[in-house]
Amino acid sequence: MTHPRLRERFSILDHSTFLVSHSMGAAPSGGRQKILEYWDNWNNTGISAWDQWMPFVDECRRDLGQIIGAPAGSVAFHQNVSTLIHSVLGTFDWTSSRNEVLVSELTFPTLKYCLEAMSGSGLHFIRVPSRDGIGHDSSDFTSRITDRTALVLIDHGIYRSSALIEIPPIVKVAHELGARVLVDTYQTAGMYPLSVTDWGVDFAVGGSHKWLCGGPGAAYLYIRPDLLGKLRPQLYGWMAQREIFEFAPGVQPADDARAFMTGTFGISSLYAAKVGWETILEVGILSIRKHVLFISHQIIRLAQERGLKINSPLNDDFRGGQVCVGIENAREIEYLLSKEKILLDSRPYCGLRISGHFYTEEREVLTCFEALDSIIKR
Ligand SMILES: Cc1ncc(COP(=O)(O)O)c(C=O)c1O
């Protein structure tokens, strides 16, 4: 079920037991070549490198769009999700009576920090409680949407439990009541077949260094095509202008999502990331999901055989890519395993986070649990 031919492209797999793609996907060896290509362009052609780089950014928008089910023109890049969240928040009028944002209490912390940092603008955010500390029923959100709700911010996959949140029912109610929906797909894009277009969401964000094997610095923003042109970005810069090199006297945003790309792009990060996206598209997201579930079943079985609690939904339909295994001293265990070159991670309220990607072999999961046995016995 693994893809041995593709395993050869990830040299870290030769010298480690790699069970951490939910946090940092393995680096594809083609990325090294691609970064050199970027440098060669720059070194050989100087300022003319932009003639290669600008069309390259458009290719990136197309590839990433394919992964999340978005038309190329609806995708923008930035260095990280936090900036992109602020970019989206900047399109709302927080002094109006529709000034509330709903967000899960289990959300990835940066989303909460962004909202809290904006509270001086009139933005009021409401933490949506989880009934079990693991995940959410969509009704946790829909029951709280009112005519004061401006935005519902949802993590498709919860970072500390791997729980998936069902998006379409939330979009339906939000739109009926005039609110917008932003989904953070960081925990699922590339591992789970999803389509922002089918969901009908207004915005989606995510980044490339987890399941997409693309390294840091290549975060993306999707904006629903019919909203483009209606939204006025406040986080703005010259590279977002309709005609960049006309240097017009005033703001004239591009007609597509480039209007959200502010100033000079982080080209080198995109060069590295593109190899990851291409690999994901080559393997196929359905096939990746199937293999990730296969490895997850093994993790769950081996953990349960040892009497360990699974802090993730047990039903495949409600679980993302990693399995969270409740264990005391998870941080210390993560460290001890890393000394044996067994790579996973841990989080508060969660325990160990363990996952396989399309390149993971069953024997690696066994190696991890056998090492865990010896650590526990010590
Ligand atoms: C759901 C989610 N959103 C966002 C981030 C990261 O945000 P940023 O790109 O601002 O570092 C992560 C983790 O790295 C995450 O898991």
Side-chain angles (χ1 to χ4, degrees), residues 173-336:
V173 175
H175 285 177
E176 278 165 9
L177 293 176
R180 292 199 168 129
V181 177
L182 186 161
V183 178
D184 184 336
T185 61
Y186 221 133
Q187 291 284 327
T188 50
M191 175 280 302
Y192 185 95
L194 61 88
S195 164
V196 292
T197 304
D198 292 351
W199 279 343
V201 294
D202 305 280
F203 309 99
V205 291
S208 300
H209 75 269
K210 300 177 189 288
W211 301 105
L212 295 176
C213 297
Y220 54 86
L221 165 67
Y222 159 80
I223 300 175
R224 215 179 72 206
D226 61 295
L227 290 178
L228 289 163
K230 292 186 196 146
L231 301 175
R232 188 137 173 115
Q234 282 193 31
L235 201 65
Y236 195 73
W238 70 297
M239 288 263 178
Q241 287 282 83
R242 193 173 307 137
E243 296 298 338
I244 299 175
F245 293 102
E246 275 187 7
F247 298 100
V251 170
Q252 294 175 357
D255 300 325
D256 69 4
R258 187 166 54 73
F260 288 80
M261 283 183 68
T262 67
T264 310
F265 317 134
I267 301 287
S268 55
S269 297
L270 294 176
Y271 263 79
K274 193 164 188 301
V275 180
W277 304 330
E278 284 169 356
T279 311
I280 294 299
L281 289 168
E282 181 185 340
V283 181
I285 296 173
L286 273 173
S287 151
I288 292 174
R289 173 68 174 157
K290 210 167 143 200
H291 188 67
V292 167
L293 284 177
F294 170 73
I295 295 290
S296 301
H297 295 158
Q298 200 196 357
I299 299 169
I300 292 172
R301 182 174 54 75
L302 291 175
Q304 287 180 330
E305 279 172 12
R306 285 156 176 80
L308 297 171
K309 185 165 177 267
I310 304 299
N311 286 328
S312 298
L314 289 173
N315 183 331
D316 287 353
D317 294 342
F318 301 115
R319 192 181 61 252
Q322 76 263 32
V323 176
C324 302
V325 177
I327 193 162
E328 271 178 45
N329 305 324
R331 199 143 183 206
E332 193 191 337
I333 291 175
E334 173 191 349
Y335 171 71
L336 294 173

Side-chain angles (χ1 to χ4, degrees), residues 80-82 108 110-111 155 159 184 186-187 209-210:
N80 56 54
V81 159
S82 308
F108 184 74
T110 205
L111 277 65
D155 306 61
Y159 79 105
D184 184 336
Y186 221 133
Q187 291 284 327
H209 75 269
K210 300 177 189 288

Side-chain angles (χ1 to χ4, degrees), residues 106 133-135 158-163 311-313 319 322 324 350:
L106 306 176
I134 299 269
I158 300 288
Y159 79 105
R160 61 184 231 202
S161 67
S162 199
N311 286 328
S312 298
R319 192 181 61 252
Q322 76 263 32
C324 302
C350 157

Side-chain angles (χ1 to χ4, degrees), residues 30-99:
R32 190 167 187 275
Q33 193 52 41
K34 204 73 190 164
I35 289 173
L36 285 176
E37 190 185 305
Y38 152 79
W39 187 85
D40 283 343
N41 267 336
W42 175 23
N43 185 45
N44 296 336
T45 65
I47 185 75
S48 305
W50 282 110
D51 298 341
Q52 315 283 327
W53 291 342
M54 290 307 265
F56 178 79
V57 173
D58 285 336
E59 284 174 34
C60 289
R61 297 166 82 194
R62 204 188 47 222
D63 280 3
L64 197 278
Q66 270 190 57
I67 291 173
I68 61 165
S74 61
V75 174
F77 292 109
H78 223 298
Q79 196 176 335
N80 56 54
V81 159
S82 308
T83 310
L84 292 169
I85 295 284
H86 280 289
S87 190
V88 171
L89 294 177
T91 64
F92 290 80
D93 173 8
W94 299 111
T95 61
S96 79
S97 58
R98 202 185 264 281
N99 66 344

